[in-house]
Amino acid sequence: MQQLNQKQELAVKTTEGYVRVIAGAGAGKTRIIINRYIYLVNEIGVANRNILCITFTNNAANEMKKRISKEIKDIDVGYICTFHSLAARALREDIHCIGVAPNFTILDPEDQSQLFRKIYKKLNITNRDYHYADMREAIGKIKDDYPQYVRYLGKHNGIFFSNPTTIEEKFFNEYIEEQCENALLDYFDLISTYEYILVNFEVKRKKWQNRFQYVMCDEFNDVDARQFNILSILSGYHKNLMIVGDPDQTIYSWRGSDIRYIIEFRNMFPNVKDIVVNENYRSFPSILNIANSLIIHNTNRLEKDLIPVRENDKKVVFNSLRTASDEAEFIATTIEDLIKNGEEPESIAILYRNNNLSRVIEEKLIQKNIKYCVYSGIDFYSRKEIKDILSYMRFLLYEKDVDFERIINVPARGIGNKTVIFLKEFAEYNKCSLYQALKHCLMVKTIKNLEAENFINLIEKLKQEYKKMTILDLTNKIIKETGYQETLSKQEAQDRIENLDEFKHSILEYENSDFEEKTLSDYLDKISLYTNGDRNKKEKAVRLMTIHSAKGLEFKNVFICRINDGIIPSAKVSTPEGIEEERRLFYVAITRAEDNLYLTEIQKDYGSHTSKPSQFLREIEPSRFLLELDKKELEFFNESSEDRLKSFFSNSKSKVESVNMEFSTGDKVNHFLFGTGIVEDVDVQNKTYSIKFENLETLREISAHIKLEKI
């Protein structure tokens, strides 16, 4: 308790009932949760197994486990996990009640793509016709709209769409059938299936409600409807739920999170106790002051200011550059100087709104020989060589067709597509797995001379041995005895060999941890739920990432680039709610910085042109959010940067002041392009009208400076 300030201590000791902790960036949210867990166990006497602690990344959960395990002197720390990990663990116990075998396989995105390829071929469509990302979205929407789909994951439930009329519905029928036949769950299924069981099976619901006497949730501002419902149900018996979060950092509405759950928490539960923790231990005062001056422009929030604990008079640097190339040159040169002055590369982060903005920066870093890593692209556990070995492991456990198809010819055994098609036909006719089909067909002429028998002998041998082996020993045995290592050596694929070495190192860390289950099944479940946010952050390199990827991280030195209208905020956003989320996104970016923060924008870009001679350069404006920052906290890199912002501020102010609001709610108006519409709302502050046009399905925000004719 001596490490906690007064508000943090209050949050830790307020154990009973519904508690909402509004904790700002850098205010010690994780410290509160860890100490509260320790307090419940060591001081109150609550058993570990009766505490549920939810967080949003596996890394955060692991860090909590380590620190709590050390303090309570117990390697069993119960349920400290993500929503997906909780659901996976619970479903191993209870999924049988909807007819799914407990040895279900969790599909990661690569597994799902493999399944997509199979169904696309069956339906005679291609990725060009329907991109996988669009089909994933379509599947997610169907599952979201029809929660009862969960019943179709079990056997003998018939066809979901009895008369499918669209490609998406036809695909969904095939997809659900594959899931049902092979006991496959995707990420969406984990949460929705657990929620479905809690809602529809009273015995299961009471079991989990009784088990969790205390429920805590970190980053509550990021929960979606299903996650919120799960928390509500699990805490519904003992009625002890503490949520920790910051509504000013709600930036994931596009994937379902809803700011209303944290804003309106008081109205959803009885006798809620509110605690505001806003002392910031992360950032220098100028960084927090500009963050505060920005976020107060949002209306949908709980009022609070971040209060700096650290003292320093260093200001935030603002620089306006002519082009993206100039901006990248400034960033790379400044980083070069920081490293020369003793800063570690990994203490430096470059944040941007969209992934495509990194290219020109990467080029400059390469020119200056500055090592960097980009937090995007292929997740570590989705790289081919890692997935191959994981598929071998998973096949030993579950013998699923999805893994068989991946490993049967890896490394090459001369077993091509024709053989696999033959095996599929045999398996379908005889109602057996592909592996069983291969065993039955060893004497078939097209298979007899292949290395199929060696493959079967290897699998059978590993199935007999793996339970007596450590996971690391099994990994080494698979890599060696399949010929995988030899193949990579012949190909001189050094980067892939190094990835396997890093993979083995991660397994060693897992097996040496005190609080982890050590079975192969537990390990594979854990790995299947890892995301890009759980990457190894020890690499000594400058970090490049989108602002969304940076949430939850902190860096001594932060660059936020391309702070221009159309980027921050995005050109795709037009509603007041959307602009507020974009402002929260900028706020998140600012509050990642500890000591040094650099803000940059450019004056000209190439628009949408793909060929880029100089005549295509066009003027662009700084972000409107820059006008909201406390100017006295900014250090302008040069006079032209200061003049640029002052000029933009003056012009913007005069533009706004010169526009009169001529129309009122209910007025009927005509727009030269959109036609006739009704004014439904008038925003005086932002000088816009919300108009429902007769010929358009959605409400449109129209600036007051556009000429409208009153009808």
Side-chain angles (χ1 to χ4, degrees):
M1 291 296 177
Q2 293 174 358
Q3 301 172 10
L4 306 178
N5 64 39
Q6 189 176 1
K7 293 288 185 66
Q8 289 172 334
E9 184 175 341
L10 177 62
V12 167
K13 289 185 174 179
T14 307
T15 60
E16 306 307 303
Y18 294 96
V19 185
R20 176 173 64 176
V21 179
I22 304 300
K29 293 193 292 290
T30 305
R31 182 184 296 180
I32 290 170
I33 290 175
I34 288 173
N35 280 279
R36 191 173 193 261
Y37 190 110
I38 295 165
Y39 182 74
L40 286 169
V41 173
N42 285 356
E43 302 298 325
I44 295 181
V46 180
N48 308 346
R49 66 181 177 275
N50 297 134
I51 302 173
L52 171 63
C53 182
I54 292 287
T55 187
F56 269 78
T57 69
N58 292 290
N59 275 351
N62 288 340
E63 186 60 32
M64 284 185 185
K65 287 178 183 178
K66 287 178 186 176
R67 290 163 66 178
I68 289 170
S69 177
K70 181 180 177 183
E71 290 297 326
I72 67 174
K73 297 178 173 55
D74 191 341
I75 61 172
D76 179 10
V77 289
Y79 291 82
I80 302 175
C81 52
T82 65
F83 276 105
H84 286 89
S85 297
L86 168 66
R89 191 168 170 180
L91 292 175
R92 293 291 179 200
E93 290 186 31
D94 292 337
I95 201 167
H96 61 87
C97 67
I98 61 167
V100 178
N103 69 341
F104 60 85
T105 297
I106 302 171
L107 295 170
D108 65 22
E110 175 61 27
D111 298 325
Q112 200 178 33
S113 294
Q114 189 176 333
L115 194 55
F116 275 33
R117 285 190 286 273
K118 178 180 179 180
I119 300 172
Y120 272 36
K121 193 169 184 180
K122 188 172 183 179
L123 295 178
N124 197 29
I125 58 176
T126 69
N127 198 14
R128 288 183 180 180
D129 302 322
Y130 295 89
H131 196 276
Y132 287 170
D134 296 330
M135 192 61 83
R136 280 194 183 94
E137 190 175 333
I139 289 173
K141 187 175 188 316
I142 292 171
K143 288 183 174 182
D144 209 27
D145 291 343
Y146 301 97
Q148 71 273 23
Y149 88 89
V150 167
R151 293 187 292 108
Y152 289 78
L153 295 173
K155 300 284 185 186
H156 312 303
N157 284 311
I159 298 172
F160 188 81
F161 289 111
S162 55
N163 294 299
T165 57
T166 66
I167 287 293
E168 289 83 0
E169 289 178 353
K170 292 175 183 176
F171 182 92
F172 190 80
N173 279 351
E174 297 290 341
Y175 185 75
I176 285 290
E177 186 177 344
E178 287 284 346
Q179 287 192 272
C180 175
E181 287 299 318
N182 297 288
L184 307 174
L185 299 187
D186 59 33
Y187 285 172
F188 188 96
D189 300 326
L190 293 174
I191 301 292
S192 57
T193 304
Y194 185 41
E195 181 198 30
Y196 182 87
I197 290 172
L198 289 174
V199 169
N200 293 284
F201 294 85
E202 185 180 6
V203 172
K204 303 300 182 184
R205 178 171 65 251
K206 286 184 175 179
K207 177 182 80 170
W208 291 102
Q209 286 180 327
N210 277 310
R211 185 175 300 183
F212 297 135
Q213 296 175 19
Y214 293 88
V215 179
M216 294 184 276
C217 180
D218 191 13
E219 301 287 358
F220 185 79
N221 43 278
D222 288 335
V223 298
D224 61 27
R226 283 190 165 80
Q227 293 164 345
F228 175 78
N229 197 28
I230 287 171
L231 289 174
S232 302
I233 292 170
L234 293 178
S235 60
Y237 178 64
H238 294 289
K239 302 190 186 308
N240 291 321
L241 171 62
M242 184 188 83
I243 58 111
V244 183
D246 181 5
D248 290 336
Q249 295 187 69
T250 301
I251 60 173
Y252 291 116
S253 66
W254 46 274
R255 70 181 190 197
S257 65
D258 193 329
I259 196 171
R260 289 178 304 164
Y261 294 126
I262 190 166
I263 294 282
E264 299 174 14
F265 190 81
R266 288 190 64 83
N267 304 324
M268 298 173 175
F269 299 97
N271 305 315
V272 172
K273 305 175 186 74
D274 271 334
I275 302 169
V276 178
V277 183
N278 56 352
E279 289 183 328
N280 178 286
Y281 294 85
R282 176 187 299 162
S283 307
F284 283 156
S286 63
I287 296 170
L288 299 182
N289 289 340
I290 69 162
N292 289 332
S293 67
L294 171 75
I295 204 64
I296 59 170
H297 289 83
N298 272 7
T299 56
N300 193 21
R301 65 187 295 260
L302 299 173
E303 191 173 335
K304 72 171 186 340
D305 270 348
L306 295 174
I307 300 170
V309 173
R310 301 175 68 202
E311 295 181 359
N312 192 283
D313 58 2
K314 186 179 292 186
K315 293 192 174 185
V316 173
V317 176
F318 171 77
N319 196 3
S320 176
L321 290 306
R322 183 173 178 272
T323 66
S325 180
D326 296 331
E327 180 185 53
E329 177 67 29
F330 166 74
I331 291 171
T333 301
T334 306
I335 289 173
E336 203 172 32
D337 292 339
L338 286 170
I339 293 172
K340 283 178 184 175
N341 291 325
E343 296 288 354
E344 297 293 337
E346 64 271 26
S347 74
I348 303 169
I350 305 170
L351 310 183
Y352 34 78
R353 177 65 177 83
N354 306 314
N355 271 313
N356 63 299
L357 300 177
S358 73
R359 181 192 58 79
V360 65
I361 297 171
E362 290 185 63
E363 289 173 359
K364 294 293 182 182
L365 294 175
I366 291 168
Q367 287 174 17
K368 294 183 181 295
N369 201 29
I370 298 171
K371 190 174 183 183
Y372 69 91
C373 60
V374 181
Y375 274 61
S376 64
I378 300 174
D379 299 349
F380 179 77
Y381 290 103
S382 293
R383 291 174 183 173
K384 182 182 185 307
E385 55 276 12
I386 311 299
K387 278 290 298 177
D388 289 343
I389 305 306
L390 286 171
S391 288
Y392 268 102
M393 291 181 181
R394 211 163 60 177
F395 188 72
L396 297 179
L397 274 179
Y398 305 130
E399 259 188 45
K400 296 292 174 64
D401 288 352
V402 66
D403 294 309
F404 177 89
E405 288 190 62
R406 184 176 189 101
I407 66 175
I408 183 59
N409 203 39
V410 175
R413 298 185 176 91
I415 302 175
N417 287 335
K418 288 184 179 179
T419 303
V420 173
I421 290 170
F422 172 82
L423 292 175
K424 285 180 178 179
E425 291 172 351
F426 182 94
E428 187 173 351
Y429 183 80
N430 290 280
K431 305 297 180 188
C432 65
S433 70
L434 292 178
Y435 182 58
Q436 290 168 333
L438 181 64
K439 284 182 172 179
H440 285 300
C441 297
L442 274 179
M443 300 309 293
V444 174
K445 186 177 180 181
T446 55
I447 296 176
K448 187 175 180 181
N449 296 326
L450 301 173
E451 293 182 38
E453 190 170 355
N454 291 338
F455 173 77
I456 291 171
N457 291 338
L458 173 63
I459 294 299
E460 294 302 317
K461 178 184 174 187
L462 291 173
K463 284 169 79 173
Q464 293 294 320
E465 296 176 348
Y466 83 87
K467 292 180 182 178
K468 303 172 187 174
M469 304 168 68
T470 66
I471 300 170
L472 181 58
D473 287 343
L474 174 62
T475 304
N476 284 322
K477 198 172 187 69
I478 290 171
I479 291 171
K480 182 181 179 182
E481 297 199 8
T482 58
Y484 206 99
Q485 181 81 42
E486 184 182 355
T487 300
L488 293 185
S489 297
K490 286 179 180 177
Q491 294 172 350
E492 297 184 352
Q494 189 58 36
D495 56 336
R496 296 175 66 191
I497 292 172
E498 288 174 1
N499 285 339
L500 284 177
D501 288 340
E502 177 61 28
F503 176 52
K504 287 188 278 188
H505 180 71
S506 71
I507 292 173
L508 183 62
E509 284 186 344
Y510 172 83
E511 293 193 307
N512 285 339
S513 61
D514 292 330
F515 48 83
E516 300 283 12
E517 294 291 339
K518 302 300 192 300
T519 68
L520 183 60
S521 175
D522 289 318
Y523 174 71
L524 292 175
D525 275 359
K526 183 182 177 70
I527 292 305
S528 69
L529 299 175
Y530 261 63
T531 67
N532 228 8
D534 301 308
R535 286 181 53 176
N536 182 1
K537 298 175 177 62
K538 296 176 183 177
E539 189 176 356
K540 290 188 175 296
V542 174
R543 272 61 169 148
L544 275 68
M545 65 187 78
T546 64
I547 301 171
H548 282 100
S549 299
K551 187 172 180 292
L553 305 178
E554 55 191 64
F555 302 92
K556 193 175 177 184
N557 310 281
V558 171
F559 294 80
I560 309 174
C561 68
R562 209 69 68 84
I563 310 173
N564 291 90
D565 248 37
I567 297 175
I568 304 176
S570 168
K572 298 176 182 177
V573 173
S574 59
T575 65
E577 296 81 9
I579 294 297
E580 289 211 351
E581 179 154 336
E582 291 289 302
R583 188 178 283 112
R584 291 195 294 268
L585 188 64
F586 190 29
Y587 174 84
V588 165
I590 290 168
T591 53
R592 298 312 92 200
E594 298 174 358
D595 294 5
N596 297 303
L597 176 61
Y598 303 86
L599 308 177
T600 62
E601 62 95 23
I602 63 173
Q603 300 157 18
K604 297 175 183 288
D605 77 354
Y606 293 99
S608 59
H609 294 284
T610 51
S611 55
K612 298 183 176 180
S614 59
Q615 66 262 32
F616 285 133
L617 277 170
R618 60 174 184 134
E619 297 282 345
I620 59 172
E621 292 186 333
S623 169
R624 69 194 76 173
F625 296 152
L626 289 171
L627 304 182
E628 300 170 354
L629 305 184
D630 187 347
K631 304 302 180 294
K632 70 176 184 294
E633 299 294 352
L634 294 178
E635 175 188 322
F636 295 98
F637 187 76
N638 49 35
E639 285 186 15
S640 63
S641 294
E642 186 173 9
D643 292 342
R644 162 86 162 164
L645 216 53
K646 282 182 178 177
S647 172
F648 178 57
F649 179 75
S650 300
N651 291 336
S652 299
K653 191 173 181 182
S654 62
K655 276 183 192 175
V656 171
E657 288 175 349
S658 66
V659 174
N660 294 318
M661 306 300 287
E662 300 178 21
F663 306 108
S664 304
T665 301
D667 283 351
K668 193 172 185 179
V669 296
N670 186 68
H671 183 280
F672 78 95
L673 178 64
F674 298 144
T676 303
I678 303 292
V679 177
E680 296 202 356
D681 190 35
V682 179
D683 186 341
V684 177
Q685 181 181 350
N686 293 308
K687 303 289 185 181
T688 59
Y689 299 109
S690 295
I691 302 176
K692 179 63 181 75
F693 291 101
E694 293 175 359
N695 297 325
L696 300 176
E697 292 184 7
T698 57
L699 203 66
R700 297 299 170 91
E701 299 285 326
I702 301 296
S703 174
H705 77 267
I706 296 296
K707 184 173 177 56
L708 296 169
E709 180 187 356
K710 188 171 181 178
I711 301 174

